[in-house]
Amino acid sequence: MLRILHCSDLHFGKPSRPEQVAALEHAIATETLSAIVISGDLSQRHRVSELERAARFVRLCEDRAPTVVIPGNHDCRWWTAPMGFGSYYGMFERYRTYIRSDLEPRVSIPGATIVGVNSSHGIQRYTLTTRPRDLSVVGAIRGRQWERARSVFATAPDGDFKVLVMHHNLLRGNLSNRWGLASRAFGIVDAAHTGADLVCCGHDHEERVEEVDVARRKLIVSTAGTLTNRSRGGRPGSWNMIELEDGVVRITMNEWHEEGRAFRQARKNAYVMRRAK
Ligand SMILES: [Fe+2]
Ligand SMILES: [Fe+2]
């Protein structure tokens, strides 16, 4: 059985809930895991102290299982290179120093190929939006990034479970009513065309697991919640466990229970895998 732990939006710093992080770290240290996915927003204000704490979390994950970690919009110092003026990689200098130099890692494990794409680009011509509060927040995935993911999946071993990781929510938030990507619903089509079976994302701070019909195929989307006091609608903190066995994908949302000071399995969704023709 494949077991992939998916968490997101830990936002080490002021909003972080240390008791929830400790409980997640305990799960990571004790569960049998094939891989770990961290879909961005590791820091709140990309302060060194936040990134140092995030780095300890990432190192724990890496010690336990192959880990795909990507930056979120909070890990991108967008004001250092607005509209393409400045160094693109400079925006991620601290992230690359403390967390991972590769912004788009990929991991191959027996039975699965996991590819990260960086959807956080700061303010660029291609992220401009009419919503002022989305200006430095909205995500984008360029054509060449989609193409890279597609070509990695195309050369993956036959029958591999293909997982695409991005920070911004691929689906419009139920509570926020906001799209994560500037391309909105077109992003769902682009993601399906990569050949991914599953997309792992976050950003919206509302957990959600759904299978969507797109481009004449099915695509499962795991949106992980947050482990902070910034959850959408006061929802409890949460993370997702993805299991694949005998062609069935089960995704369990683990929700924080304040009274028990622990995560408990809340909802489980099951999907039969159908391969794209
Ligand atoms: Fe976030
Ligand atoms: Fe975010």
Side-chain angles (χ1 to χ4, degrees), residues 37-73:
V37 167
I38 310 166
S39 51
D41 274 0
L42 287 101
S43 65
Q44 177 62 14
R45 295 181 179 277
H46 28 74
R47 292 191 168 123
V48 168
S49 59
E50 297 170 357
L51 288 162
E52 284 176 340
R53 177 64 186 90
R56 289 204 301 278
F57 177 79
V58 173
R59 301 295 96 85
L60 169 73
C61 294
E62 291 170 335
D63 283 347
R64 295 291 302 162
T67 298
V68 168
V69 56
I70 54 163
N73 53 298

PDB file of all heavy atoms in Angstrom, residues 37-73:
ATOM      1  N   VAL A  37       4.178  15.120   1.402  1.00  0.00           N
ATOM      2  CA  VAL A  37       3.996  16.287   0.540  1.00  0.00           C
ATOM      3  C   VAL A  37       3.691  17.497   1.426  1.00  0.00           C
ATOM      4  O   VAL A  37       2.772  17.450   2.253  1.00  0.00           O
ATOM      5  CB  VAL A  37       2.832  16.054  -0.451  1.00  0.00           C
ATOM      6  CG1 VAL A  37       2.423  17.360  -1.114  1.00  0.00           C
ATOM      7  CG2 VAL A  37       3.234  15.022  -1.512  1.00  0.00           C
ATOM      8  N   ILE A  38       4.461  18.551   1.235  1.00  0.00           N
ATOM      9  CA  ILE A  38       4.225  19.813   1.964  1.00  0.00           C
ATOM     10  C   ILE A  38       3.961  20.878   0.898  1.00  0.00           C
ATOM     11  O   ILE A  38       4.874  21.296   0.181  1.00  0.00           O
ATOM     12  CB  ILE A  38       5.447  20.221   2.815  1.00  0.00           C
ATOM     13  CG1 ILE A  38       5.924  19.058   3.687  1.00  0.00           C
ATOM     14  CG2 ILE A  38       5.128  21.448   3.673  1.00  0.00           C
ATOM     15  CD1 ILE A  38       7.310  19.283   4.294  1.00  0.00           C
ATOM     16  N   SER A  39       2.694  21.315   0.794  1.00  0.00           N
ATOM     17  CA  SER A  39       2.350  22.156  -0.359  1.00  0.00           C
ATOM     18  C   SER A  39       2.394  23.665  -0.049  1.00  0.00           C
ATOM     19  O   SER A  39       1.475  24.402  -0.367  1.00  0.00           O
ATOM     20  CB  SER A  39       1.004  21.746  -0.956  1.00  0.00           C
ATOM     21  OG  SER A  39      -0.002  21.673   0.014  1.00  0.00           O
ATOM     22  N   GLY A  40       3.511  24.103   0.545  1.00  0.00           N
ATOM     23  CA  GLY A  40       3.813  25.527   0.611  1.00  0.00           C
ATOM     24  C   GLY A  40       3.275  26.311   1.793  1.00  0.00           C
ATOM     25  O   GLY A  40       2.578  25.781   2.656  1.00  0.00           O
ATOM     26  N   ASP A  41       3.637  27.605   1.825  1.00  0.00           N
ATOM     27  CA  ASP A  41       3.363  28.494   2.951  1.00  0.00           C
ATOM     28  C   ASP A  41       3.925  27.904   4.243  1.00  0.00           C
ATOM     29  O   ASP A  41       3.190  27.662   5.211  1.00  0.00           O
ATOM     30  CB  ASP A  41       1.863  28.806   3.077  1.00  0.00           C
ATOM     31  CG  ASP A  41       1.433  29.989   2.208  1.00  0.00           C
ATOM     32  OD1 ASP A  41       2.299  30.574   1.515  1.00  0.00           O
ATOM     33  OD2 ASP A  41       0.229  30.320   2.224  1.00  0.00           O
ATOM     34  N   LEU A  42       5.242  27.711   4.249  1.00  0.00           N
ATOM     35  CA  LEU A  42       5.888  27.205   5.460  1.00  0.00           C
ATOM     36  C   LEU A  42       6.093  28.320   6.469  1.00  0.00           C
ATOM     37  O   LEU A  42       6.162  28.088   7.660  1.00  0.00           O
ATOM     38  CB  LEU A  42       7.235  26.565   5.106  1.00  0.00           C
ATOM     39  CG  LEU A  42       7.085  25.220   4.409  1.00  0.00           C
ATOM     40  CD1 LEU A  42       7.269  25.366   2.925  1.00  0.00           C
ATOM     41  CD2 LEU A  42       8.045  24.202   4.971  1.00  0.00           C
ATOM     42  N   SER A  43       6.222  29.561   5.973  1.00  0.00           N
ATOM     43  CA  SER A  43       6.465  30.686   6.869  1.00  0.00           C
ATOM     44  C   SER A  43       5.295  31.658   6.799  1.00  0.00           C
ATOM     45  O   SER A  43       4.384  31.507   5.982  1.00  0.00           O
ATOM     46  CB  SER A  43       7.765  31.405   6.467  1.00  0.00           C
ATOM     47  OG  SER A  43       7.617  31.991   5.186  1.00  0.00           O
ATOM     48  N   GLN A  44       5.338  32.648   7.688  1.00  0.00           N
ATOM     49  CA  GLN A  44       4.302  33.675   7.658  1.00  0.00           C
ATOM     50  C   GLN A  44       4.830  34.938   6.992  1.00  0.00           C
ATOM     51  O   GLN A  44       4.218  35.494   6.099  1.00  0.00           O
ATOM     52  CB  GLN A  44       3.826  33.979   9.088  1.00  0.00           C
ATOM     53  CG  GLN A  44       2.793  35.081   9.187  1.00  0.00           C
ATOM     54  CD  GLN A  44       1.489  34.774   8.449  1.00  0.00           C
ATOM     55  OE1 GLN A  44       1.227  33.626   8.068  1.00  0.00           O
ATOM     56  NE2 GLN A  44       0.672  35.782   8.223  1.00  0.00           N
ATOM     57  N   ARG A  45       6.020  35.373   7.454  1.00  0.00           N
ATOM     58  CA  ARG A  45       6.625  36.588   6.888  1.00  0.00           C
ATOM     59  C   ARG A  45       8.064  36.323   6.439  1.00  0.00           C
ATOM     60  O   ARG A  45       8.892  37.239   6.478  1.00  0.00           O
ATOM     61  CB  ARG A  45       6.601  37.712   7.930  1.00  0.00           C
ATOM     62  CG  ARG A  45       5.188  38.146   8.295  1.00  0.00           C
ATOM     63  CD  ARG A  45       5.202  39.284   9.304  1.00  0.00           C
ATOM     64  NE  ARG A  45       3.844  39.695   9.620  1.00  0.00           N
ATOM     65  CZ  ARG A  45       3.129  40.540   8.890  1.00  0.00           C
ATOM     66  NH1 ARG A  45       3.649  41.064   7.805  1.00  0.00           N
ATOM     67  NH2 ARG A  45       1.903  40.858   9.271  1.00  0.00           N
ATOM     68  N   HIS A  46       8.340  35.105   6.056  1.00  0.00           N
ATOM     69  CA  HIS A  46       9.675  34.630   5.671  1.00  0.00           C
ATOM     70  C   HIS A  46      10.769  35.211   6.536  1.00  0.00           C
ATOM     71  O   HIS A  46      11.833  35.618   6.048  1.00  0.00           O
ATOM     72  CB  HIS A  46       9.972  34.813   4.184  1.00  0.00           C
ATOM     73  CG  HIS A  46       9.250  35.930   3.536  1.00  0.00           C
ATOM     74  ND1 HIS A  46       9.574  37.208   3.732  1.00  0.00           N
ATOM     75  CD2 HIS A  46       8.169  35.922   2.731  1.00  0.00           C
ATOM     76  CE1 HIS A  46       8.741  37.972   3.078  1.00  0.00           C
ATOM     77  NE2 HIS A  46       7.865  37.225   2.470  1.00  0.00           N
ATOM     78  N   ARG A  47      10.510  35.258   7.855  1.00  0.00           N
ATOM     79  CA  ARG A  47      11.564  35.651   8.781  1.00  0.00           C
ATOM     80  C   ARG A  47      12.494  34.460   8.967  1.00  0.00           C
ATOM     81  O   ARG A  47      12.073  33.302   8.846  1.00  0.00           O
ATOM     82  CB  ARG A  47      10.958  36.046  10.129  1.00  0.00           C
ATOM     83  CG  ARG A  47      10.142  37.322  10.047  1.00  0.00           C
ATOM     84  CD  ARG A  47       9.791  37.822  11.437  1.00  0.00           C
ATOM     85  NE  ARG A  47       9.257  39.171  11.354  1.00  0.00           N
ATOM     86  CZ  ARG A  47       8.057  39.534  11.820  1.00  0.00           C
ATOM     87  NH1 ARG A  47       7.277  38.648  12.405  1.00  0.00           N
ATOM     88  NH2 ARG A  47       7.659  40.775  11.696  1.00  0.00           N
ATOM     89  N   VAL A  48      13.752  34.779   9.304  1.00  0.00           N
ATOM     90  CA  VAL A  48      14.749  33.709   9.473  1.00  0.00           C
ATOM     91  C   VAL A  48      14.291  32.732  10.552  1.00  0.00           C
ATOM     92  O   VAL A  48      14.380  31.516  10.389  1.00  0.00           O
ATOM     93  CB  VAL A  48      16.128  34.325   9.803  1.00  0.00           C
ATOM     94  CG1 VAL A  48      17.093  33.248  10.281  1.00  0.00           C
ATOM     95  CG2 VAL A  48      16.688  35.031   8.560  1.00  0.00           C
ATOM     96  N   SER A  49      13.772  33.261  11.670  1.00  0.00           N
ATOM     97  CA  SER A  49      13.348  32.361  12.761  1.00  0.00           C
ATOM     98  C   SER A  49      12.226  31.438  12.292  1.00  0.00           C
ATOM     99  O   SER A  49      12.175  30.257  12.671  1.00  0.00           O
ATOM    100  CB  SER A  49      12.890  33.171  13.981  1.00  0.00           C
ATOM    101  OG  SER A  49      11.806  34.012  13.613  1.00  0.00           O
ATOM    102  N   GLU A  50      11.323  31.937  11.454  1.00  0.00           N
ATOM    103  CA  GLU A  50      10.233  31.098  10.943  1.00  0.00           C
ATOM    104  C   GLU A  50      10.786  30.014  10.020  1.00  0.00           C
ATOM    105  O   GLU A  50      10.380  28.848  10.092  1.00  0.00           O
ATOM    106  CB  GLU A  50       9.229  31.964  10.179  1.00  0.00           C
ATOM    107  CG  GLU A  50       8.537  33.012  11.033  1.00  0.00           C
ATOM    108  CD  GLU A  50       7.731  34.021  10.205  1.00  0.00           C
ATOM    109  OE1 GLU A  50       7.751  33.932   8.962  1.00  0.00           O
ATOM    110  OE2 GLU A  50       7.094  34.890  10.820  1.00  0.00           O
ATOM    111  N   LEU A  51      11.720  30.418   9.165  1.00  0.00           N
ATOM    112  CA  LEU A  51      12.276  29.457   8.209  1.00  0.00           C
ATOM    113  C   LEU A  51      13.159  28.429   8.910  1.00  0.00           C
ATOM    114  O   LEU A  51      13.238  27.275   8.480  1.00  0.00           O
ATOM    115  CB  LEU A  51      13.032  30.198   7.108  1.00  0.00           C
ATOM    116  CG  LEU A  51      12.079  30.937   6.155  1.00  0.00           C
ATOM    117  CD1 LEU A  51      12.813  31.992   5.348  1.00  0.00           C
ATOM    118  CD2 LEU A  51      11.394  29.955   5.205  1.00  0.00           C
ATOM    119  N   GLU A  52      13.822  28.843   9.996  1.00  0.00           N
ATOM    120  CA  GLU A  52      14.625  27.868  10.758  1.00  0.00           C
ATOM    121  C   GLU A  52      13.717  26.808  11.369  1.00  0.00           C
ATOM    122  O   GLU A  52      14.030  25.612  11.371  1.00  0.00           O
ATOM    123  CB  GLU A  52      15.425  28.583  11.861  1.00  0.00           C
ATOM    124  CG  GLU A  52      16.629  29.315  11.314  1.00  0.00           C
ATOM    125  CD  GLU A  52      17.379  30.118  12.372  1.00  0.00           C
ATOM    126  OE1 GLU A  52      16.785  30.436  13.443  1.00  0.00           O
ATOM    127  OE2 GLU A  52      18.546  30.448  12.123  1.00  0.00           O
ATOM    128  N   ARG A  53      12.578  27.250  11.902  1.00  0.00           N
ATOM    129  CA  ARG A  53      11.640  26.273  12.486  1.00  0.00           C
ATOM    130  C   ARG A  53      11.047  25.384  11.380  1.00  0.00           C
ATOM    131  O   ARG A  53      10.900  24.168  11.551  1.00  0.00           O
ATOM    132  CB  ARG A  53      10.506  27.009  13.236  1.00  0.00           C
ATOM    133  CG  ARG A  53       9.446  26.089  13.821  1.00  0.00           C
ATOM    134  CD  ARG A  53      10.026  25.179  14.897  1.00  0.00           C
ATOM    135  NE  ARG A  53       9.052  24.191  15.370  1.00  0.00           N
ATOM    136  CZ  ARG A  53       8.901  22.978  14.835  1.00  0.00           C
ATOM    137  NH1 ARG A  53       9.651  22.618  13.796  1.00  0.00           N
ATOM    138  NH2 ARG A  53       8.025  22.141  15.342  1.00  0.00           N
ATOM    139  N   ALA A  54      10.727  26.019  10.253  1.00  0.00           N
ATOM    140  CA  ALA A  54      10.200  25.247   9.121  1.00  0.00           C
ATOM    141  C   ALA A  54      11.226  24.223   8.650  1.00  0.00           C
ATOM    142  O   ALA A  54      10.886  23.082   8.302  1.00  0.00           O
ATOM    143  CB  ALA A  54       9.818  26.191   7.979  1.00  0.00           C
ATOM    144  N   ALA A  55      12.498  24.631   8.646  1.00  0.00           N
ATOM    145  CA  ALA A  55      13.565  23.720   8.192  1.00  0.00           C
ATOM    146  C   ALA A  55      13.637  22.502   9.105  1.00  0.00           C
ATOM    147  O   ALA A  55      13.839  21.376   8.627  1.00  0.00           O
ATOM    148  CB  ALA A  55      14.897  24.455   8.174  1.00  0.00           C
ATOM    149  N   ARG A  56      13.450  22.696  10.405  1.00  0.00           N
ATOM    150  CA  ARG A  56      13.481  21.533  11.325  1.00  0.00           C
ATOM    151  C   ARG A  56      12.337  20.582  11.000  1.00  0.00           C
ATOM    152  O   ARG A  56      12.492  19.365  11.051  1.00  0.00           O
ATOM    153  CB  ARG A  56      13.393  21.999  12.788  1.00  0.00           C
ATOM    154  CG  ARG A  56      14.639  22.696  13.289  1.00  0.00           C
ATOM    155  CD  ARG A  56      14.786  22.616  14.802  1.00  0.00           C
ATOM    156  NE  ARG A  56      13.677  23.205  15.531  1.00  0.00           N
ATOM    157  CZ  ARG A  56      13.550  24.515  15.774  1.00  0.00           C
ATOM    158  NH1 ARG A  56      14.465  25.351  15.337  1.00  0.00           N
ATOM    159  NH2 ARG A  56      12.517  24.971  16.455  1.00  0.00           N
ATOM    160  N   PHE A  57      11.184  21.157  10.675  1.00  0.00           N
ATOM    161  CA  PHE A  57      10.033  20.317  10.299  1.00  0.00           C
ATOM    162  C   PHE A  57      10.345  19.540   9.013  1.00  0.00           C
ATOM    163  O   PHE A  57      10.109  18.332   8.932  1.00  0.00           O
ATOM    164  CB  PHE A  57       8.795  21.196  10.107  1.00  0.00           C
ATOM    165  CG  PHE A  57       7.591  20.436   9.651  1.00  0.00           C
ATOM    166  CD1 PHE A  57       6.828  19.696  10.558  1.00  0.00           C
ATOM    167  CD2 PHE A  57       7.223  20.424   8.313  1.00  0.00           C
ATOM    168  CE1 PHE A  57       5.728  18.973  10.129  1.00  0.00           C
ATOM    169  CE2 PHE A  57       6.121  19.697   7.872  1.00  0.00           C
ATOM    170  CZ  PHE A  57       5.370  18.965   8.791  1.00  0.00           C
ATOM    171  N   VAL A  58      10.887  20.234   8.037  1.00  0.00           N
ATOM    172  CA  VAL A  58      11.191  19.584   6.738  1.00  0.00           C
ATOM    173  C   VAL A  58      12.251  18.500   6.927  1.00  0.00           C
ATOM    174  O   VAL A  58      12.152  17.410   6.355  1.00  0.00           O
ATOM    175  CB  VAL A  58      11.625  20.633   5.696  1.00  0.00           C
ATOM    176  CG1 VAL A  58      12.095  19.961   4.406  1.00  0.00           C
ATOM    177  CG2 VAL A  58      10.472  21.593   5.400  1.00  0.00           C
ATOM    178  N   ARG A  59      13.264  18.767   7.748  1.00  0.00           N
ATOM    179  CA  ARG A  59      14.308  17.748   7.975  1.00  0.00           C
ATOM    180  C   ARG A  59      13.707  16.514   8.637  1.00  0.00           C
ATOM    181  O   ARG A  59      14.074  15.388   8.318  1.00  0.00           O
ATOM    182  CB  ARG A  59      15.443  18.297   8.862  1.00  0.00           C
ATOM    183  CG  ARG A  59      16.188  19.517   8.341  1.00  0.00           C
ATOM    184  CD  ARG A  59      16.984  19.293   7.065  1.00  0.00           C
ATOM    185  NE  ARG A  59      16.268  19.685   5.859  1.00  0.00           N
ATOM    186  CZ  ARG A  59      16.210  20.920   5.335  1.00  0.00           C
ATOM    187  NH1 ARG A  59      16.814  21.915   5.932  1.00  0.00           N
ATOM    188  NH2 ARG A  59      15.549  21.155   4.214  1.00  0.00           N
ATOM    189  N   LEU A  60      12.770  16.703   9.568  1.00  0.00           N
ATOM    190  CA  LEU A  60      12.098  15.542  10.178  1.00  0.00           C
ATOM    191  C   LEU A  60      11.380  14.729   9.102  1.00  0.00           C
ATOM    192  O   LEU A  60      11.482  13.496   9.072  1.00  0.00           O
ATOM    193  CB  LEU A  60      11.078  16.006  11.238  1.00  0.00           C
ATOM    194  CG  LEU A  60      10.131  14.908  11.741  1.00  0.00           C
ATOM    195  CD1 LEU A  60      10.865  13.927  12.649  1.00  0.00           C
ATOM    196  CD2 LEU A  60       8.926  15.496  12.470  1.00  0.00           C
ATOM    197  N   CYS A  61      10.673  15.428   8.231  1.00  0.00           N
ATOM    198  CA  CYS A  61       9.963  14.737   7.140  1.00  0.00           C
ATOM    199  C   CYS A  61      10.952  13.964   6.274  1.00  0.00           C
ATOM    200  O   CYS A  61      10.728  12.785   5.949  1.00  0.00           O
ATOM    201  CB  CYS A  61       9.192  15.745   6.287  1.00  0.00           C
ATOM    202  SG  CYS A  61       7.837  16.556   7.153  1.00  0.00           S
ATOM    203  N   GLU A  62      12.044  14.640   5.902  1.00  0.00           N
ATOM    204  CA  GLU A  62      13.031  14.002   5.014  1.00  0.00           C
ATOM    205  C   GLU A  62      13.664  12.780   5.661  1.00  0.00           C
ATOM    206  O   GLU A  62      14.034  11.826   4.974  1.00  0.00           O
ATOM    207  CB  GLU A  62      14.104  15.017   4.620  1.00  0.00           C
ATOM    208  CG  GLU A  62      13.565  16.098   3.692  1.00  0.00           C
ATOM    209  CD  GLU A  62      14.535  17.253   3.488  1.00  0.00           C
ATOM    210  OE1 GLU A  62      15.387  17.493   4.381  1.00  0.00           O
ATOM    211  OE2 GLU A  62      14.438  17.935   2.464  1.00  0.00           O
ATOM    212  N   ASP A  63      13.797  12.809   6.991  1.00  0.00           N
ATOM    213  CA  ASP A  63      14.353  11.647   7.699  1.00  0.00           C
ATOM    214  C   ASP A  63      13.411  10.457   7.656  1.00  0.00           C
ATOM    215  O   ASP A  63      13.822   9.316   7.807  1.00  0.00           O
ATOM    216  CB  ASP A  63      14.618  12.001   9.173  1.00  0.00           C
ATOM    217  CG  ASP A  63      15.879  12.832   9.321  1.00  0.00           C
ATOM    218  OD1 ASP A  63      16.654  12.913   8.344  1.00  0.00           O
ATOM    219  OD2 ASP A  63      16.081  13.418  10.399  1.00  0.00           O
ATOM    220  N   ARG A  64      12.109  10.736   7.509  1.00  0.00           N
ATOM    221  CA  ARG A  64      11.115   9.676   7.597  1.00  0.00           C
ATOM    222  C   ARG A  64      10.719   9.097   6.240  1.00  0.00           C
ATOM    223  O   ARG A  64      10.380   7.932   6.142  1.00  0.00           O
ATOM    224  CB  ARG A  64       9.838  10.211   8.299  1.00  0.00           C
ATOM    225  CG  ARG A  64      10.056  10.607   9.734  1.00  0.00           C
ATOM    226  CD  ARG A  64      10.322   9.407  10.587  1.00  0.00           C
ATOM    227  NE  ARG A  64       9.215   8.446  10.507  1.00  0.00           N
ATOM    228  CZ  ARG A  64       9.281   7.179  10.850  1.00  0.00           C
ATOM    229  NH1 ARG A  64      10.411   6.678  11.295  1.00  0.00           N
ATOM    230  NH2 ARG A  64       8.226   6.391  10.742  1.00  0.00           N
ATOM    231  N   ALA A  65      10.703   9.955   5.197  1.00  0.00           N
ATOM    232  CA  ALA A  65      10.223   9.492   3.886  1.00  0.00           C
ATOM    233  C   ALA A  65      10.629  10.496   2.814  1.00  0.00           C
ATOM    234  O   ALA A  65      10.871  11.678   3.123  1.00  0.00           O
ATOM    235  CB  ALA A  65       8.693   9.355   3.911  1.00  0.00           C
ATOM    236  N   PRO A  66      10.704  10.061   1.547  1.00  0.00           N
ATOM    237  CA  PRO A  66      10.951  11.025   0.470  1.00  0.00           C
ATOM    238  C   PRO A  66       9.924  12.162   0.550  1.00  0.00           C
ATOM    239  O   PRO A  66       8.727  11.900   0.710  1.00  0.00           O
ATOM    240  CB  PRO A  66      10.755  10.185  -0.801  1.00  0.00           C
ATOM    241  CG  PRO A  66      11.023   8.777  -0.369  1.00  0.00           C
ATOM    242  CD  PRO A  66      10.521   8.686   1.051  1.00  0.00           C
ATOM    243  N   THR A  67      10.415  13.385   0.463  1.00  0.00           N
ATOM    244  CA  THR A  67       9.549  14.542   0.727  1.00  0.00           C
ATOM    245  C   THR A  67       9.546  15.502  -0.456  1.00  0.00           C
ATOM    246  O   THR A  67      10.600  15.872  -0.968  1.00  0.00           O
ATOM    247  CB  THR A  67      10.050  15.277   1.999  1.00  0.00           C
ATOM    248  OG1 THR A  67       9.963  14.364   3.107  1.00  0.00           O
ATOM    249  CG2 THR A  67       9.225  16.514   2.301  1.00  0.00           C
ATOM    250  N   VAL A  68       8.359  15.895  -0.869  1.00  0.00           N
ATOM    251  CA  VAL A  68       8.221  16.959  -1.862  1.00  0.00           C
ATOM    252  C   VAL A  68       7.726  18.201  -1.133  1.00  0.00           C
ATOM    253  O   VAL A  68       6.650  18.190  -0.530  1.00  0.00           O
ATOM    254  CB  VAL A  68       7.233  16.554  -2.982  1.00  0.00           C
ATOM    255  CG1 VAL A  68       6.878  17.767  -3.844  1.00  0.00           C
ATOM    256  CG2 VAL A  68       7.851  15.467  -3.859  1.00  0.00           C
ATOM    257  N   VAL A  69       8.544  19.241  -1.160  1.00  0.00           N
ATOM    258  CA  VAL A  69       8.165  20.500  -0.522  1.00  0.00           C
ATOM    259  C   VAL A  69       8.331  21.614  -1.546  1.00  0.00           C
ATOM    260  O   VAL A  69       9.299  21.634  -2.303  1.00  0.00           O
ATOM    261  CB  VAL A  69       8.997  20.763   0.761  1.00  0.00           C
ATOM    262  CG1 VAL A  69      10.494  20.745   0.489  1.00  0.00           C
ATOM    263  CG2 VAL A  69       8.596  22.076   1.421  1.00  0.00           C
ATOM    264  N   ILE A  70       7.351  22.507  -1.595  1.00  0.00           N
ATOM    265  CA  ILE A  70       7.393  23.633  -2.539  1.00  0.00           C
ATOM    266  C   ILE A  70       7.060  24.919  -1.781  1.00  0.00           C
ATOM    267  O   ILE A  70       6.433  24.872  -0.718  1.00  0.00           O
ATOM    268  CB  ILE A  70       6.383  23.449  -3.699  1.00  0.00           C
ATOM    269  CG1 ILE A  70       4.973  23.197  -3.153  1.00  0.00           C
ATOM    270  CG2 ILE A  70       6.829  22.332  -4.641  1.00  0.00           C
ATOM    271  CD1 ILE A  70       3.892  23.402  -4.176  1.00  0.00           C
ATOM    272  N   PRO A  71       7.460  26.075  -2.324  1.00  0.00           N
ATOM    273  CA  PRO A  71       7.127  27.336  -1.636  1.00  0.00           C
ATOM    274  C   PRO A  71       5.679  27.758  -1.863  1.00  0.00           C
ATOM    275  O   PRO A  71       5.051  27.368  -2.856  1.00  0.00           O
ATOM    276  CB  PRO A  71       8.088  28.346  -2.284  1.00  0.00           C
ATOM    277  CG  PRO A  71       8.415  27.771  -3.625  1.00  0.00           C
ATOM    278  CD  PRO A  71       8.289  26.276  -3.520  1.00  0.00           C
ATOM    279  N   GLY A  72       5.175  28.551  -0.941  1.00  0.00           N
ATOM    280  CA  GLY A  72       3.878  29.206  -1.118  1.00  0.00           C
ATOM    281  C   GLY A  72       4.084  30.696  -1.284  1.00  0.00           C
ATOM    282  O   GLY A  72       5.225  31.188  -1.231  1.00  0.00           O
ATOM    283  N   ASN A  73       3.018  31.427  -1.471  1.00  0.00           N
ATOM    284  CA  ASN A  73       3.155  32.871  -1.677  1.00  0.00           C
ATOM    285  C   ASN A  73       3.776  33.552  -0.463  1.00  0.00           C
ATOM    286  O   ASN A  73       4.448  34.571  -0.589  1.00  0.00           O
ATOM    287  CB  ASN A  73       1.804  33.509  -2.034  1.00  0.00           C
ATOM    288  CG  ASN A  73       0.714  33.180  -1.056  1.00  0.00           C
ATOM    289  OD1 ASN A  73       0.364  32.004  -0.895  1.00  0.00           O
ATOM    290  ND2 ASN A  73       0.169  34.184  -0.384  1.00  0.00           N
TER     291      ASN A  73
END
